[in-house]
Amino acid sequence: MIVIATHNRDKEKELRAVLRDFPLEVKSLDHFPEIGDIEETGLTLMENAKIKAETVQKITQLPSLGDDTGLEVDALNGAPGVYSSRFAGEDVTYEKNVKKLLYKLVSVPIEKRTARFRTVIYYTDGKRELYSEGEIKGIITEKQIGKNGFGYDPVFYIPEVKKTMAELSPEEKNKLSHRGQAMRKLRKLLLDIIP
Ligand code: IMP
């Protein structure tokens, strides 16, 4: 059994999709109501992914996976980065974060709106640790386009496919995305260590 250490259902869905035919049962935090919000006190994606995985592993005594993701915008010197979920304040909606991002970039021309999503996934079973990373490059649009996905997806344009992340189906997103890449790498590493 393995626990996905997130309360974010959108992220959980994407991680689960990659683990669909994984030989271990995958549990969400719904099964562990005693685990409340895990504070992201790290200064890097790696630190936060590790904090989430270790906290859940200690409480459940089960192997756990922590995911931390950031949107790094070049014109904002890498912000919101590790603070992506709290860009417009604590406990805000995705919409508020997106609006703040568009506002901050209002005078930035399209060729300078380059950005990337990065995900780090960290695994621990209390004895062994594994981690992986995924990254996708894109451009922040001037308005929201597309209805799929979540978070900053409607403003993240991928030149390769000429669509925003929110115009992709869940399968297409997972094929290309930071999280899909990181989870597929970690899946491979896990298959090497499970009996
Ligand atoms: P965290 O990894 O839970 O700290 O997530 C950081 C924030 O980044 C989330 O609250 C979302 O706003 C955003 N985010 C994370 N993953 C994605 C994604 O795949 N697409 C768009 N936004 C995302």
Side-chain angles (χ1 to χ4, degrees):
M1 200 183 291
I2 190 163
V3 186
I4 298 185
T6 182
H7 287 291
N8 182 323
R9 289 187 189 275
D10 296 309
K11 294 200 323 189
E12 186 198 327
K13 238 189 262 164
E14 293 183 5
L15 295 169
R16 267 185 189 280
V18 181
L19 294 172
R20 195 164 287 138
D21 52 357
F22 197 66
L24 296 181
E25 188 188 346
V26 179
K27 285 230 188 259
S28 65
L29 287 188
D30 288 348
H31 291 90
F32 306 96
E34 69 276 23
I35 303 179
D37 274 345
I38 302 166
E39 250 197 280
E40 299 187 14
T41 51
L43 298 178
T44 62
L45 298 178
M46 178 72 83
E47 282 171 17
N48 281 338
K50 185 172 181 208
I51 289 169
K52 292 175 200 176
E54 285 182 344
T55 305
V56 171
Q57 193 280 325
K58 278 196 191 116
I59 298 173
T60 63
Q61 291 297 305
L62 291 167
S64 302
L65 281 183
D67 157 321
D68 204 47
T69 297
L71 173 68
E72 299 171 349
V73 179
D74 293 322
L76 303 177
N77 296 317
V82 75
Y83 303 106
S84 294
S85 61
R86 303 164 262 168
F87 193 38
E90 292 293 333
D91 298 322
V92 290
T93 58
Y94 291 145
E95 181 69 18
K96 282 206 169 128
N97 282 332
V98 168
K99 287 249 164 76
K100 178 167 178 184
L101 178 66
L102 292 181
Y103 178 73
K104 285 229 162 216
L105 294 176
V106 87
S107 57
V108 179
I110 204 75
E111 68 275 12
K112 295 212 170 116
R113 297 169 76 104
T114 48
R116 74 200 56 76
F117 273 120
R118 277 207 308 122
T119 288
V120 175
I121 305 180
Y122 194 95
Y123 165 91
T124 180
D125 57 16
K127 289 191 207 98
R128 292 168 296 194
E129 287 88 39
L130 298 170
Y131 65 87
S132 65
E133 293 194 31
E135 179 183 310
I136 181 168
K137 290 190 169 70
I139 292 163
I140 305 300
T141 53
E142 289 173 345
K143 57 180 178 39
Q144 302 192 47
I145 306 164
K147 297 269 175 246
N148 299 334
F150 67 96
Y152 299 96
D153 283 346
V155 292
F156 192 86
Y157 179 82
I158 309 162
E160 230 180 302
V161 290
K162 298 193 172 65
K163 283 179 183 173
T164 68
M165 199 89 108
E167 293 181 287
L168 302 179
S169 68
E171 294 74 26
E172 288 169 327
K173 178 179 173 185
N174 243 352
K175 239 184 234 169
L176 295 173
S177 79
H178 45 304
R179 180 168 301 102
Q181 292 177 40
M183 193 60 244
R184 280 191 296 277
K185 284 186 209 163
L186 196 76
R187 185 181 189 283
K188 263 199 196 132
L189 296 174
L190 282 171
L191 288 171
D192 285 341
I193 65 162
I194 58 175

